[in-house]
Amino acid sequence: MALLSPFIAIFSIASDSYHRAEEAVDAVESVFLKAPSKVIHGTTTLLRKIGFGIVGAVYVCMVMIVVMLLAAMLGVGLVQLWIEEPVFMRESLFFDYTDANPKAVFTFGGFVDDGSIKKGPLGVPLGHTFHVSVALLMPESDHNRQIGMFQLTAEVLSADGNVKAKSSRPCMLRFRSLPLRLLRTFLMGAPLILGISEETQKISIKMLQLKERLPRSKVIRVTLIPRAGTVCLPQLYEAEILLISKLPWTKEVVRNWKWTFYVWASIYIYITMLIIILSCCRPLLFPITALDPSYCPDSAETEYTGESKEARAEGRDEKGISEVLRRWQQRRRKRKAIILHGEMVDSTECSSASITREDTSMAVDEQDIVDSESVF
C-alpha cells in the first residue's frame, strides 16, 4: 500500500477532475469564455500535482528499497546466528611403532595439549551426534598378507581423562589370489612402472558413534592391536581419521529450510521497520504530504470571493423571481373567484353584471399581461 499510495493519489486526482468536468459540462463554453484563467490555473494545478506525485513515488520507492536491503541484511544475519552447521574434520594419524601397541591421538581444537593450544575447530557442539571413521592405506606386501587379521581400537576421552566411549573393529587386506595378482600386474605393468598406479589398498573402518554431552570430549585415541598369539603389526603408508557430526532434528530442519527462514525473517523485519517509520518517522517517508501543492492563498481567496458574490447574486435573482410568481398566482386566484361569482348573479342584473364582468376581466387581462411581461 505504501508503494501504491502515490499512484492511487494520482488516479484519485484525475478521477475527481473528470467528475467535476462531467458535472460542469453544460457550462464549459461559458467557463472558457468568461474565465479562461481558471482553466489555465486548473491545468497548472493538475500538472503540479502529477509532478509532485511522481517525485513522491520515486522518493518513497528509494526509501523503501533502502529499508528492504537493511531488513534483508538483518534477517540473514539473525538466521545465520541461529543456524548451526555440522562439523567435518579430517586429520592424519601417526602411530607410534615404538610401543607394543602403537597409538595415535586426535585432539579436538581449543584444548591444551602438552602446554600448547591446538588451533582448529573448537570441537563438536553440544547435542550433535558425531561419527568417527579411520582410513588406512596399506601396501599389498607379503608381510601384510601373512599378518591377516588385526584389531583397531578407538576411544573417546573427556577433559578429565575418563573414557566416554570405546569401540574395536577387526581389519585385514582384501584377499586376491595369485593368478589374479599376476594378471593385474601384467595388465597394469606400464602404469605401475610410470607411477600412475600403485599396489596398495585403502581400508575405511567406521569406528564409533557418540552424542556430545557434558563433560566435553577432548581427544580420540586410536590403537593398533595384533592378532592374539602374534606380535606382528601391519605396515601402513598413511592413516587418517574422519569426524562428521549430525545436527539434532530441529536444527536440521532449520538448516534445510534456511532460505525460507531468510525470506520470512526479512519480511517480518521489513514490516516492523515500516510500522516504526510510519508511526514515529512519518515525515521521513512522506516529506511533502504536509504541503498541498495545489493550494495558493491568493487564488483561493479570489475564488472564494468570486464564488460568494455569484452565490449572493443568484440568491437575489431567485428571491425576486419567486416573489413575482407568488403575486401572479394570487391575482390569478382572484380572477377565477370573480368569474365564478359573476355566473351566479340573477338574470335581471345580467346585463349590468356582464358589463361589469367584461370590464373587470379586461382589467384583469391587462394586469396579467403586465405581470407576465414583468415576469419574463
Side-chain angles (χ1 to χ4, degrees):
M1 290 299 296
L3 284 172
L4 295 177
S5 60
F7 301 101
I8 294 174
I10 294 172
F11 288 134
S12 63
I13 292 169
S15 62
D16 189 21
S17 302
Y18 178 73
H19 289 305
R20 289 180 181 177
E22 281 186 347
E23 294 172 357
V25 67
D26 296 333
V28 170
E29 294 181 359
S30 60
V31 170
F32 273 99
L33 292 174
K34 294 180 180 179
S37 60
K38 291 184 179 180
V39 178
I40 297 173
H41 176 71
T43 305
T44 305
T45 303
L46 179 60
L47 292 176
R48 189 183 294 113
K49 288 183 178 180
I50 293 174
F52 272 99
I54 294 173
V55 173
V58 173
Y59 175 77
V60 170
C61 287
M62 291 176 61
V63 173
M64 294 183 69
I65 288 173
V66 172
V67 174
M68 182 177 63
L69 293 176
L70 183 60
M73 293 173 62
L74 290 175
V76 173
L78 292 176
V79 174
Q80 282 287 352
L81 293 176
W82 184 30
I83 291 177
E84 291 185 5
E85 295 291 336
V87 178
F88 180 85
M89 289 185 285
R90 183 191 296 269
E91 189 172 331
S92 298
L93 294 177
F94 301 96
F95 290 94
D96 185 6
Y97 273 81
T98 59
D99 295 337
N101 298 323
K103 297 179 178 62
V105 176
F106 168 75
T107 306
F108 291 99
F111 291 101
V112 178
D113 188 13
D114 299 332
S116 62
I117 297 176
K118 188 181 186 321
K119 295 182 180 181
L122 295 178
V124 180
L126 289 174
H128 288 215
T129 301
F130 62 90
H131 304 263
V132 179
S133 301
V134 176
L136 303 176
L137 184 63
M138 302 174 61
E140 293 182 335
S141 61
D142 295 335
H143 177 78
N144 284 338
R145 286 195 298 271
Q146 291 174 1
I147 287 176
M149 193 72 67
F150 63 95
Q151 201 75 10
L152 192 66
T153 303
E155 298 172 319
V156 179
L157 304 179
S158 62
D160 53 7
N162 296 324
V163 178
K164 296 179 64 176
K166 183 176 180 180
S167 176
S168 182
R169 299 284 187 272
C171 306
M172 68 172 295
L173 285 177
R174 295 182 183 88
F175 173 75
R176 288 176 181 171
S177 62
L178 180 60
L180 184 60
R181 293 200 304 270
L182 294 176
L183 180 61
R184 182 176 178 274
T185 304
F186 175 76
L187 295 176
M188 301 292 294
L192 289 173
I193 294 173
L194 295 175
I196 300 175
S197 178
E198 294 180 351
E199 293 180 311
T200 58
Q201 289 187 24
K202 189 171 185 178
I203 304 173
S204 182
I205 309 102
K206 293 181 179 180
M207 297 301 300
L208 54 84
Q209 173 181 338
L210 179 67
K211 186 174 183 179
E212 183 67 7
R213 295 186 178 89
L214 292 175
R216 301 294 300 276
S217 302
K218 180 181 179 181
V219 297
I220 298 176
R221 184 169 59 194
V222 182
T223 306
L224 290 175
I225 302 174
R227 188 180 70 245
T230 64
V231 294
C232 297
L233 296 171
Q235 298 173 344
L236 303 176
Y237 276 146
E238 62 183 30
E240 63 180 6
I241 187 171
L242 180 65
L243 187 146
I244 301 174
S245 71
K246 184 179 180 181
L247 298 171
W249 71 270
T250 54
K251 297 181 179 180
E252 186 71 21
V253 170
V254 173
R255 180 175 176 271
N256 292 335
W257 291 81
K258 61 181 179 180
W259 288 104
T260 304
F261 284 101
Y262 288 158
V263 173
W264 283 105
S266 302
I267 289 174
Y268 288 143
I269 294 174
Y270 178 66
I271 294 173
T272 305
M273 293 178 69
L274 282 182
I275 293 173
I276 293 173
I277 290 174
L278 290 174
S279 302
C280 305
C281 308
R282 190 180 183 87
L284 177 64
L285 192 60
F286 304 108
I288 60 176
T289 52
L291 178 63
D292 187 2
S294 63
Y295 176 74
C296 181
D298 298 334
S299 62
E301 184 177 359
T302 304
E303 290 177 1
Y304 175 75
T305 305
E307 290 177 358
S308 61
K309 289 180 179 180
E310 292 177 359
R312 287 197 294 271
E314 291 178 358
R316 286 196 298 270
D317 293 341
E318 291 178 358
K319 187 181 292 184
I321 292 170
S322 62
E323 184 67 23
V324 171
L325 289 173
R326 187 177 62 81
R327 291 178 181 178
W328 177 72
Q329 289 176 357
Q330 289 178 355
R331 289 167 185 167
R332 187 177 179 183
R333 285 195 295 269
K334 288 180 181 179
R335 184 185 64 182
K336 290 181 179 180
I338 291 170
I339 293 171
L340 294 174
H341 179 73
E343 291 177 354
M344 297 173 65
V345 178
D346 295 332
S347 60
T348 56
E349 298 176 354
C350 182
S351 59
S352 60
S354 63
I355 294 171
T356 305
R357 187 171 61 251
E358 289 175 359
D359 295 337
T360 305
S361 63
M362 287 176 67
V364 173
D365 291 338
E366 290 176 359
Q367 186 65 33
D368 291 340
I369 292 169
V370 173
D371 293 339
S372 62
E373 289 178 355
S374 65
V375 170
F376 290 104

